[in-house]
């Protein structure tokens, strides 16, 4: 059964790669990037650290989703 082991390991590697790409997009770009942008607008002379930027980005996206739901509910008849 070495062929099954090789195929299983290859499939596992592909799924790990896809999970890593999705993680990079979500955490690095959406959360950290948005949070860093917001913090730079608030405090232009300070470089935001990663944890603060990720937390700020997370709070921003949660607020945007909540605002979207609220607007949708207000527009519904």
């Amino acid at each position: 059964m070495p062929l099954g082991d090789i195929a299983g390991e290859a499939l596992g590697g592909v799924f790990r790669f896809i999970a890593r790409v999705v993680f990079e997009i979500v955490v690095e770009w959406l959360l950290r990037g948005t949070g860093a942008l917001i913090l730079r607008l608030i405090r232009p002379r300070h470089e935001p650290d990663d944890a603060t930027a990720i937390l700020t980005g997370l709070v921003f996206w949660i607020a945007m989703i909540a605002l979207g739901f609220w607007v949708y509910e207000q527009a519904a008849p």
Side-chain angles (χ1 to χ4, degrees):
M1 281 286 235
L3 186 59
D5 292 340
I6 293 171
E9 287 184 28
L11 227 73
V14 168
F15 285 132
R16 271 192 304 263
F17 175 74
I18 291 171
R20 179 68 182 180
V21 168
V22 169
F23 177 81
E24 288 287 329
I25 290 171
V26 170
V27 173
E28 291 295 324
W29 290 0
L30 290 179
L31 296 182
R32 194 179 66 78
T34 304
L37 179 67
I38 292 169
L39 290 173
R40 282 189 196 122
L41 291 173
I42 294 172
R43 304 179 308 174
R45 294 192 181 125
H46 296 93
E47 185 67 30
D49 64 336
D50 287 339
T52 307
I54 290 172
L55 184 61
T56 303
L58 182 64
V59 169
F60 171 79
W61 286 113
I62 289 172
M64 288 297 104
I65 290 169
L67 179 66
F69 280 124
W70 181 79
V71 168
Y72 177 76
E73 288 294 322
Q74 297 300 317

